[in-house]
Amino acid sequence: MNGIGGDCLSQVGTQKLKVVWTQWKWAFFFFLSLEEMLERVGESPFIPEYGPLPVSVPGAVDAWFELNARFGSKPMHELLQRAIEYAEDGHAIHEVIASDMIIQKNIFESPETMAEITSNGKFPNAFDEFKRVFFKEDGEAYAAGDVFRNPDLGGALRAIANGGRDSR
């Protein structure tokens, strides 16, 4: 994932510089004690695939600013403007994304996955915000050609564009 809430893997090459790889990512679980992590994971030796525990601390926004400072030539507000417009005004859902959203909806709504997302009921509302943002008001997945809008993302990108990486 290379959005506000994710990490950022980048590969940059210039005429004067060899290819540079970077990755900005910190795992959320680094901020938990071992006891807190084990309490949330339970008997499993693995971090769950879904839910709040596998989330990384956002590094992408910092990466955008660092990469732009090192390799860019335009101000961040200009670079983010099209993304802000797509988020606020909307865009048509591509058929591949629509198909993936139906698959994800079915996965997320399975009892096994829902138990993982909610850490066996410890976080009963863990999926509510995701559903609010990424599914239609009736709870269904978007179909190909439907217009998807994410004004919250547009507002966050606008704040970052105007106020920098430390915007709130």
Side-chain angles (χ1 to χ4, degrees):
M1 185 172 157
N2 188 358
I4 291 176
D7 58 338
C8 177
L9 177 63
S10 63
Q11 178 182 351
V12 180
T14 68
Q15 291 178 345
K16 297 179 184 178
L17 182 68
K18 293 181 181 178
V19 173
V20 175
W21 286 87
T22 59
Q23 184 169 15
W24 280 263
K25 178 179 184 175
W26 299 321
F28 168 72
F29 58 83
F30 287 143
F31 298 100
L32 298 176
S33 69
L34 177 59
E35 292 76 23
E36 290 172 316
M37 186 64 175
L38 290 174
E39 178 184 328
R40 286 171 172 84
V41 173
E43 299 292 319
S44 173
F46 303 104
I47 296 171
E49 185 175 353
Y50 301 105
L53 294 178
V55 174
S56 61
V57 173
V61 173
D62 191 51
W64 300 341
F65 279 88
E66 290 294 323
L67 290 166
N68 192 41
R70 186 165 178 191
F71 302 107
S73 61
K74 295 182 179 183
M76 191 58 72
H77 71 271
E78 188 176 328
L79 295 173
L80 292 177
Q81 187 55 43
R82 290 294 284 278
I84 293 167
E85 291 169 6
Y86 279 121
E88 293 178 345
D89 300 336
H91 59 87
I93 295 289
H94 187 276
E95 61 190 43
V96 172
I97 300 300
S99 174
D100 286 348
M101 288 303 295
I102 291 168
I103 291 167
Q104 291 302 314
K105 182 179 186 301
N106 291 334
I107 290 171
F108 288 149
E109 290 181 344
S110 76
E112 297 83 14
T113 304
M114 192 53 67
E116 194 172 336
I117 289 171
T118 63
S119 295
N120 291 317
K122 292 179 186 172
F123 305 101
N125 301 318
F127 191 52
D128 293 352
E129 185 65 8
F130 181 89
K131 289 191 297 190
R132 183 191 71 78
V133 172
F134 293 106
F135 293 126
K136 294 194 245 181
E137 286 185 29
D138 65 3
E140 292 301 314
Y142 284 90
D146 285 348
V147 175
F148 174 75
R149 290 176 182 80
N150 192 341
D152 294 340
L153 176 61
L157 289 171
R158 188 174 299 285
I160 292 166
N162 294 330
R165 68 180 95 193
D166 295 323
S167 298
R168 301 224 184 278

